[in-house]
Amino acid sequence: MKNISRSYQCILLVLLSLLFGASNAVAQNSLPSWKDRPAKKAIIEFVSAVTDEKGKDYVEPAERIAVFDNDGTLWAEQPMYFQVLFALDRVKVLAPEHPEWKDKEPFASLLKGNVKGAMADGMKSVVEIIMATHAGMTTAEFEAIVKDWIATTRHPTSKRPYTEMVYQPMLELLAYLRASGFKTFIVSGGGIEFMRPWSEKIYGVPPEQVIGSSIKVKYEMRDGEPVLVRLPELDFYDDKEGKPVAIHQQIGRRPIAAFGNSDGDLQMLQWTTAGQGPRFALYVRHTDAEREWAYDRKSSIGRLDKGLDEAQAKGWTVVDMKQDWKVIYPHEKR
Amino acid sequence: MKNISRSYQCILLVLLSLLFGASNAVAQNSLPSWKDRPAKKAIIEFVSAVTDEKGKDYVEPAERIAVFDNDGTLWAEQPMYFQVLFALDRVKVLAPEHPEWKDKEPFASLLKGNVKGAMADGMKSVVEIIMATHAGMTTAEFEAIVKDWIATTRHPTSKRPYTEMVYQPMLELLAYLRASGFKTFIVSGGGIEFMRPWSEKIYGVPPEQVIGSSIKVKYEMRDGEPVLVRLPELDFYDDKEGKPVAIHQQIGRRPIAAFGNSDGDLQMLQWTTAGQGPRFALYVRHTDAEREWAYDRKSSIGRLDKGLDEAQAKGWTVVDMKQDWKVIYPHEKR
């Protein structure tokens, strides 16, 4: 049945596109959570231009690569990156197996509920916590841990599942781009194996189009069965200058559209827009303290400072969440 | 026009699949260069099983991941890996800029035409030659160099372009799998950026589905323009145990079908077949000294020894090029 219903969808789409011209019809109905303001207009103009076969800015479907940051761009990142909250939860779960943590920072502070104290050493603390909680198991075991956590844990303030803390307008944008022949990729500073177990269901982005930070893994035989074991060693940090590098190594084409929310995405937006032909860069700016959070130039999480200056200087699209989005989260639609 | 003709193709495919059942119709016409022998039969049986929605072995299209080695599996690798021939050519081109090479091995021997002498230090020599010829330029510059070389150079014995030294039956297999809903990936020990400039045109495999060995690249600004500079430092060696690792890091799903020709592919075939549900593993065995080359257990290039034992023990499909393939190269069809 699935193939047949897909087939009818296919016929329908073909007929629609022959009769009306697909891109206009799609655009009008694809971004219902976006207010009719400049950001929405800029998106639709860009997509219409690159899909218009008779226009000067037409781009072959194979080259329609769009890259999205995740934290703060597709889902929320406050009061802390969700993956850090995952790691903190894992420290609690694993503590009984690690009696030495009682006297060892950053774990000792953490286990006493003193998150600030645990983070006293900054990135060093974060790396120690990540390695202690993300390595040492097989990739299959880690996937099961992530799936379980994401299915059962709630966000500390909203009390909703993390997968409901995604931005409805961005889900619509992902779908609109795909309906317009784009291939959508995630390029995140977050862990690649923290995102892949749910990215396809939530974002429609399959694992092979999820790029992120990673730790090393090692192939070995256990009882005659091959496994991949996660090692406590950084493989790649996919942030700032790392993002164009990862895009190059893993996609091998320069994107024509890039979406981010912080200075960590700046190099990705620079790299994207420096290519020839039509290009699109968009920053999501967190301006809505009531429905979401308001932060930018001075935030330690998701700081948007240099990026905002460059966006203004280069005319990139900046989304004002408060002004541009009718709803923030999917549940508001219901 | 392109979109419209694609649309008609789409309608046609839909109607055909509704009327006749797609997989049988496709299979009968998809592997014309394969003789009706066990290897072809095994391929068609596997593909029919995983695409039969009513069968117990049905696999959702999203999970239909097939991985192919390149050297010796999709194109020839004798008398030497083609990328090594590329590197040797580059040494000659770059020699005027490197007067010191006249007294420095492995370059000195190479420039005198003494390849064997140059390779006296084995992998150490190869790495030195690769780093001297593959690094130091931007990624865009390297892509242009590869494109030019592949378009203008001829294979030393056949005198044909390297892109005509691909195996016609494997091209048909790639296309057949894609027509059956598979996503086809290359997972090669060769350099990722040596393959990407031509993989889409020759194999129908887009750059984002090409995985291989890589050197590090660095993002930097030159005259206000961002570039990626290739560094003389290995990033990842995609061979043996590296192949399942790369598959995991870059695809994030376990393939259900894997195709190789050497012991360097063994771990990829093990990893693929150790997954649950229907699995397919195939080795191409070079048995045709007349039309191609004959080598396996004792060859220094593309050695197939342990892999052959394991294929026989586990019942993997082994293609006998001489017996199974009506033609080897595309030009034989004409």
Side-chain angles (χ1 to χ4, degrees), chain B residues 302-333:
Chain B
R303 176 175 300 177
L304 178 61
D305 182 34
K306 284 185 200 169
L308 200 53
D309 292 339
E310 191 150 334
Q312 284 159 354
K314 294 190 171 169
W316 296 342
T317 296
V318 177
V319 168
D320 179 328
M321 286 176 80
K322 188 170 180 177
Q323 298 296 329
D324 284 318
W325 288 356
K326 293 182 194 167
V327 302
I328 307 280
Y329 301 117
H331 72 87
E332 298 169 43
K333 280 195 326 172

Side-chain angles (χ1 to χ4, degrees), chain B residues 140-201:
Chain B
E141 287 161 357
F142 186 71
E143 184 180 340
I145 292 167
V146 171
K147 277 185 172 166
D148 178 63
W149 185 85
I150 207 92
T152 57
T153 318
R154 295 291 182 273
H155 184 273
T157 59
S158 77
K159 308 299 178 197
R160 293 188 173 274
Y162 290 100
T163 48
E164 292 184 16
M165 302 291 288
V166 297
Y167 304 135
Q168 175 64 25
M170 298 304 284
L171 298 182
E172 294 167 7
L173 178 54
L174 282 165
Y176 169 50
L177 289 174
R178 288 192 292 263
S180 306
F182 279 76
K183 212 163 179 176
T184 52
F185 287 81
I186 290 172
V187 181
S188 170
I192 197 163
E193 295 188 59
F194 179 70
M195 297 179 284
R196 279 177 170 163
W198 48 271
S199 64
E200 185 152 33
K201 190 177 160 202

Side-chain angles (χ1 to χ4, degrees), chain A residues 323-334:
Chain A
Q323 298 295 329
D324 284 318
W325 288 357
K326 293 182 197 169
V327 301
I328 306 279
Y329 301 117
H331 72 87
E332 296 170 42
K333 277 196 328 171
R334 285 169 209 150

Side-chain angles (χ1 to χ4, degrees), chain B residues 23-238:
Chain B
S23 71
N24 276 338
V26 173
Q28 293 311 318
N29 302 308
S30 295
L31 302 172
S33 301
W34 291 73
K35 289 192 198 156
D36 288 325
R37 287 173 39 86
K40 177 179 181 177
K41 193 161 166 271
I43 294 167
I44 292 177
E45 274 179 5
F46 171 75
V47 172
S48 303
V50 300
T51 54
D52 174 7
E53 283 185 71
K54 288 178 189 143
K56 67 173 176 43
D57 285 337
Y58 178 70
V59 175
E60 290 285 340
E63 297 291 340
R64 291 181 206 157
I65 303 287
V67 287
F68 289 80
D69 169 59
N70 185 41
D71 297 304
T73 299
L74 296 180
W75 75 352
E77 59 185 351
Q78 299 287 359
M80 214 176 289
Y81 296 121
F82 296 173
Q83 190 171 0
V84 174
L85 297 170
F86 164 76
L88 301 185
D89 281 354
R90 293 301 300 162
V91 168
K92 287 177 213 152
V93 172
L94 294 169
E97 299 166 33
H98 293 275
E100 78 279 13
W101 283 357
K102 261 185 289 188
D103 308 306
K104 194 184 165 194
E105 291 299 347
F107 307 99
S109 295
L110 255 191
L111 292 170
K112 288 179 201 134
N114 178 5
V115 176
K116 220 172 188 176
M119 298 298 170
D121 278 344
M123 268 310 281
K124 186 170 168 287
S125 310
V126 172
V127 168
E128 273 190 72
I129 292 166
I130 293 282
M131 292 310 173
T133 54
H134 285 61
M137 67 294 278
T138 69
T139 53
E141 287 161 357
F142 186 71
E143 184 180 340
I145 292 167
V146 171
K147 277 185 172 166
D148 178 63
W149 185 85
I150 207 92
T152 57
T153 318
R154 295 291 182 273
H155 184 273
T157 59
S158 77
K159 308 299 178 197
R160 293 188 173 274
Y162 290 100
T163 48
E164 292 184 16
M165 302 291 288
V166 297
Y167 304 135
Q168 175 64 25
M170 298 304 284
L171 298 182
E172 294 167 7
L173 178 54
L174 282 165
Y176 169 50
L177 289 174
R178 288 192 292 263
S180 306
F182 279 76
K183 212 163 179 176
T184 52
F185 287 81
I186 290 172
V187 181
S188 170
I192 197 163
E193 295 188 59
F194 179 70
M195 297 179 284
R196 279 177 170 163
W198 48 271
S199 64
E200 185 152 33
K201 190 177 160 202
I202 303 297
Y203 296 140
V205 178
E208 61 269 28
Q209 286 161 226
V210 176
I211 296 170
S213 297
S214 55
I215 61 176
K216 297 207 169 172
V217 305
K218 183 172 173 281
Y219 181 84
E220 63 179 54
M221 284 288 176
R222 287 188 179 173
D223 305 324
E225 285 294 304
V227 294
L228 292 169
V229 182
R230 293 170 59 81
L231 306 178
E233 191 183 340
L234 186 69
D235 180 42
F236 188 79
Y237 183 44
D238 188 30

